[in-house]
Amino acid sequence: MTATTDVSANQPVLIDVSALALLFETLREQGYTVVGPTVRDGAVVTAVLDSADQLPYGVGVETEAGRYRLRDRADRAAFAHSAGPQSWKNVLLPARTRRWSADRSPDGTMVVSGPDEPRRYALLGVRACDLAAIGVLDRVLAGGRHTDPVYAGRRDGNLIIAVECTEPGATCFCASMGTGPQCGAGFDLAMTELVDDDGHRFLVRAGTPAGAGILAALPGRPAGPASVGQARDAVAAAAARMGRTMPAVNLPGLLAANRQSPHWDDVASRCLTCGNCTMVCPTCFCTSTEDVTDLTGDHAERWQRWASCFDLDFSYLHGGSVRTSGQARYRQWISHKLGTWHDQFGMSGCVGCGRCIAWCPAGIDLTQEVDALAAAAAVTS
Amino acid sequence: MSTSLASRVTGAELPLPYRVIARHADTDDTVTLELAYETAPLPAFAPGQFAMLTAYGIGEVPISLSGLPAPHETARRLTHTLRAVGAVTRALHAAGPGTVIGVRGPFGTTWDVPSAAGHDVVVVAGGIGLAPVRPIVQAVLAERDRYGEVVLLVGARTPADLLYRDDLDRWAAAGVQVGVTVDRPAEGWNGHVGVVPALVASARFRPGRSVGFVCGPEVMMRFTARALTDRGVPASRVRVSLERNMRCGAGWCGHCQLGPLLLCRDGPVVDYARAEPLLDVREL
Ligand SMILES: Cc1cc2nc3c(=O)[nH]c(=O)nc-3n(C[C@H](O)[C@H](O)[C@H](O)COP(=O)(O)OP(=O)(O)OC[C@H]3O[C@@H](n4cnc5c(N)ncnc54)[C@H](O)[C@@H]3O)c2cc1C
Ligand code: SF4
Ligand code: SF4
């Protein structure tokens, strides 16, 4: 093994791209299942990875409202792609999970067992916006009066390896949501990818002792001020190149004041109520449950699956659904993301990742809808 | 299940087995179930709170507490009254004595009955809405001298749909002003006919010193709350129990939103000053 580095706290280290193979090995040795970006079906998805070879080297993406395309890059950068159709929600709150199963004992009572113990995940390539999104899920599912044990079980013991964003997409607006592109806290390791004439390398800093332990196992060298400055500049340039901006208005106030706005008719004329935006959103956490039983009726299970506020039966009550119109369903979605999330959880439900814009088949862009509401409010006031 | 995960799992997540120890048919489609725990009791429920009841293999529904345990009952019993309207409530309705069902809870806000001490208590219920307010009357009568006038106004579709008729008689005999009205009278009915909010105007209570507790269909609650505020009860002292789709009860599923409120957590009991502007918006 080459010389390993003695990592003192917060001393950034440079590692070569070749060290990623050892990173995978180290993580596996420590019992982690690595989840990270890879190319599948024409998109960069998050999947369980066996080796660093599966990372999307040289793959960039182009996004626009209703559009997402891979493109070849001139370099071999592995993390030069903006958000894809999946997020860490797919790992931490999967689309389908078994919550429990129950078996009838001879005296008629039910013996219930909880979910299977999840694996320990290392999340590799977490962007600042998605780091914030994990923070949102933590608050919603594990930060209230009741902790969701299934979520907490999948979240516990995560190792988060963030990679700061240097290639924002046209649909990105994390800078205006205050969530990125630089990673503030909440990571074990944070890397910035640098690719130029000096080679392909990563500036890495540890955020926790667990991260420092991993970093110490990698061949690296202390980063000089030049590399540190280069990484900082690359992230600052990304902040300046965001394709979109969320208008700097009081979002909760604007949405609460516009519950009866005619603008919802306009959105509804375009929205297909397909729910794609809720599926790709890294913070949309709504779920439904389904109970199933075997033929004897002695074995029952409860399954949880993602639900969408765009589904008609989402708001079903005996006698009919509360939100039947497309107007009401889009209003619920955007008002929750940007407004009532603050009332409910003391934070925004949107982190500015832009996924809902890129994956909307109608090209609906929440930053533009806010613009329209704000403009109408300015005219009438 | 390993210990680390087991230690996180509580009555909020896994349904605990409770056995039906008594089943009383209140009407054709409504039953009251008395439940006793099998392995361990859930924390005590307060009036206004609800449980998630599981019919194993069929599904789970939110159902309010509909009765307080008698003072001498040390074991924690649960009383729930439910109307069979769909797959899950039909299965629970059919659960005879001995059947084991799953229970999670307690969830949600309470009626906060003790805060009405020193006030007149005005309880107004429509249909199955009488079930969640029944523990209010029981709690008030258990400490009768802490409260002023006690008014209970009840609306039902027909005389045959009227719940807890024995209780209503007993409470009237104990000095509660009980008013009952039906939408459609039947042979032998000589009581009121019409909607329950209409009874508010003639009830005896001191509006400035009253707390209103209202449960029933949403339009009934809006008309009742208006009738109470028209008489001078402040909206902030009128409490309503709101219903929305609820899949988890614990704040994780997102279904029960009403604007800024997550009703499984910020409700179901909400004061009307807070609820009114939200209920005024169609399809919120
Ligand atoms: C806080 C609260 C307290 C309640 N207290 C009582 C009570 O004390 N007594 C009583 O009889 N009823 C009560 N209800 C109403 C009761 O929960 C519904 O009647 C019941 O959920 C209907 O389910 P179902 O499958 O039998 O009927 P269906 O109407 O056929 O429902 C079909 C499916 O829709 C869903 N659904 C319908 N209504 C609801 C709902 N409110 N929440 C979640 N899912 C729903 C369920 O998945 C259900 O299986 C209460 C509701 C709430 C929110
Ligand atoms: S609302 Fe859209 S931009 Fe905001 S976090 Fe969700 S997917 Fe990303
Ligand atoms: S906004 Fe777009 S993605 Fe969301 S439901 Fe409407 S059409 Fe589908």
Side-chain angles (χ1 to χ4, degrees):
Chain A
M1 199 195 262
T2 43
T4 56
T5 322
D6 174 29
V7 188
S8 50
N10 293 331
Q11 172 65 50
V13 169
L14 277 177
I15 64 167
D16 214 65
V17 65
S18 59
L20 291 181
L22 193 56
L23 172 65
F24 270 71
E25 232 169 82
T26 309
L27 292 171
R28 231 193 339 268
E29 272 165 19
Q30 298 201 5
Y32 290 107
T33 299
V34 182
V35 183
T38 193
V39 173
R40 208 169 274 175
D41 302 327
V44 177
V45 300
T46 27
V48 171
L49 303 183
D50 299 321
S51 88
D53 298 340
Q54 293 167 287
L55 293 170
Y57 295 102
V59 176
V61 301
E62 270 169 27
T63 58
E64 237 328 310
R67 186 183 154 83
Y68 177 97
R69 296 280 183 283
L70 296 185
R71 65 174 173 85
D72 291 332
R73 292 177 57 84
D75 61 27
R76 295 272 300 151
F79 298 96
H81 50 86
S82 56
Q86 296 181 334
S87 69
W88 307 99
K89 174 173 92 170
N90 295 64
V91 182
L92 300 173
L93 179 67
R96 252 177 88 73
T97 358
R98 190 173 64 189
R99 305 268 321 169
W100 50 257
S101 58
D103 290 285
R104 198 179 302 278
S105 65
D107 69 344
T109 198
M110 295 299 275
V111 181
V112 180
S113 37
D116 306 325
E117 187 72 13
R119 295 185 275 190
R120 279 171 77 217
Y121 294 102
L123 311 181
L124 171 63
V126 181
R127 301 297 193 199
C129 58
D130 283 347
L131 203 52
I134 294 172
V136 172
L137 291 180
D138 286 352
R139 168 65 188 87
V140 172
L141 297 174
R145 193 182 313 151
H146 306 292
T147 292
D148 176 347
V150 180
Y151 174 80
R154 299 183 75 91
R155 177 79 177 90
D156 271 8
N158 286 172
L159 188 89
I160 295 189
I161 304 176
V163 178
E164 289 183 313
C165 180
T166 50
E167 290 281 336
T171 50
C172 290
F173 57 101
C174 70
S176 57
M177 296 307 290
T179 57
Q182 70 279 22
C183 296
F187 54 81
D188 295 285
L189 286 174
M191 317 207 288
T192 315
E193 188 170 31
L194 301 170
V195 194
D196 56 23
D197 294 344
D198 294 335
H200 187 176
R201 60 215 187 282
F202 293 87
L203 181 89
V204 192
R205 55 205 157 99
T208 61
I214 304 269
L215 187 51
L218 304 179
R221 51 194 184 277
S227 314
V228 172
Q230 195 185 344
R232 196 192 313 114
D233 291 349
V235 177
R241 273 190 296 131
M242 294 280 145
R244 281 174 165 66
T245 307
M246 179 61 77
V249 296
N250 169 358
L251 294 167
L254 179 73
L255 288 156
N258 277 283
R259 288 183 183 130
Q260 319 268 22
S261 165
H263 185 67
W264 305 120
D265 294 336
D266 178 68
V267 189
S269 71
R270 291 172 278 134
C271 173
L272 313 171
T273 65
C274 67
N276 270 14
C277 46
T278 59
M279 299 293 117
V280 296
C281 177
T283 68
C284 272
F285 62 88
C286 291
T287 53
S288 284
T289 48
E290 282 159 11
D291 287 15
V292 294
T293 179
D294 67 0
L295 285 176
T296 65
D298 291 338
H299 179 81
E301 298 188 345
R302 175 159 301 154
W303 285 79
Q304 177 187 48
R305 58 169 177 79
W306 288 352
S308 170
C309 53
F310 284 94
D311 294 342
L312 202 48
D313 67 1
F314 184 86
S315 62
Y316 181 82
L317 277 181
H318 179 64
S321 293
V322 173
R323 290 186 283 272
T324 52
S325 68
Q327 284 86 329
R329 285 180 274 160
Y330 187 86
R331 177 184 65 193
Q332 165 61 24
W333 182 69
I334 193 172
S335 300
H336 191 213
K337 291 275 104 171
L338 302 174
T340 52
W341 211 290
H342 288 274
D343 300 292
Q344 294 168 5
F345 305 110
M347 50 167 53
S348 169
C350 173
V351 298
C353 73
R355 286 182 177 89
C356 57
I357 305 173
W359 296 92
C360 173
I364 293 172
D365 172 347
L366 78 172
T367 65
Q368 279 180 13
E369 303 310 328
V370 168
D371 251 339
L373 285 174
V379 169
T380 52
S381 64
Chain B
M1 182 168 51
S2 81
T3 44
S4 71
L5 198 52
S7 63
R8 280 193 297 265
V9 173
T10 63
E13 158 63 4
L14 291 184
L16 294 187
Y18 271 67
R19 201 178 285 270
V20 177
I21 52 170
R23 175 184 186 274
H24 175 76
D26 296 297
T27 70
D28 279 352
D29 60 5
T30 303
V31 288
T32 297
L33 303 177
E34 298 281 338
L35 306 174
Y37 68 86
E38 288 278 291
T39 49
L42 290 167
F45 284 63
Q49 291 189 300
F50 66 95
M52 296 298 291
L53 300 185
T54 293
Y56 287 105
I58 299 178
E60 188 180 43
V61 288
I63 301 291
S64 301
L65 185 75
S66 73
L68 293 178
H72 61 271
E73 277 176 359
T74 47
R76 266 187 220 127
R77 300 262 171 94
L78 283 175
T79 304
H80 292 284
T81 302
L82 54 96
R83 189 152 84 94
V85 298
V88 181
T89 46
R90 265 199 297 272
L92 294 168
H93 181 267
T99 309
V100 172
I101 67 174
V103 187
R104 297 191 297 125
F107 295 121
T109 52
T110 77
W111 288 115
D112 194 9
V113 180
S115 69
H119 291 73
D120 294 351
V121 173
V122 185
V123 180
V124 189
I128 187 72
L130 184 54
V133 299
R134 183 172 174 247
I136 301 174
V137 182
Q138 291 173 328
V140 166
L141 292 183
E143 296 181 293
R144 183 66 192 87
D145 47 1
R146 298 189 59 199
Y147 301 90
E149 289 286 343
V150 183
V151 180
L152 173 63
L153 307 176
V154 179
R157 276 174 304 176
T158 70
D161 290 309
L162 201 53
L163 301 178
Y164 314 136
R165 264 164 288 189
D166 295 348
D167 284 337
L168 297 179
D169 291 343
R170 202 164 342 112
W171 293 338
V176 176
Q177 285 175 60
V178 177
V180 178
T181 181
V182 297
D183 296 339
R184 280 176 284 125
E187 269 296 299
W189 178 260
N190 46 24
H192 296 280
V193 176
V195 295
V196 67
L199 300 187
V200 170
S202 54
R204 262 181 297 109
F205 58 89
R206 299 163 296 167
R209 296 207 43 79
S210 293
V211 179
F213 300 92
V214 186
C215 188
E218 203 159 295
V219 334
M220 168 268 172
M221 292 196 282
R222 297 181 66 189
F223 279 107
T224 304
R226 201 165 307 153
L228 288 167
T229 51
D230 281 352
R231 279 199 57 183
V233 184
S236 59
R237 255 193 273 128
V238 175
R239 297 173 196 159
V240 293
S241 179
L242 300 174
E243 180 179 355
R244 283 296 180 270
N245 192 306
M246 290 181 185
R247 296 308 185 117
C248 77
W252 307 324
C253 82
H255 284 261
C256 65
Q257 292 176 61
L258 174 64
L261 307 178
L262 269 181
L263 282 180
C264 72
R265 180 192 76 180
D266 308 319
V269 178
V270 178
D271 79 57
Y272 199 64
R274 210 155 174 225
E276 184 176 25
L278 303 174
L279 297 180
D280 276 349
V281 182
R282 282 191 59 206
E283 296 192 54
L284 190 69

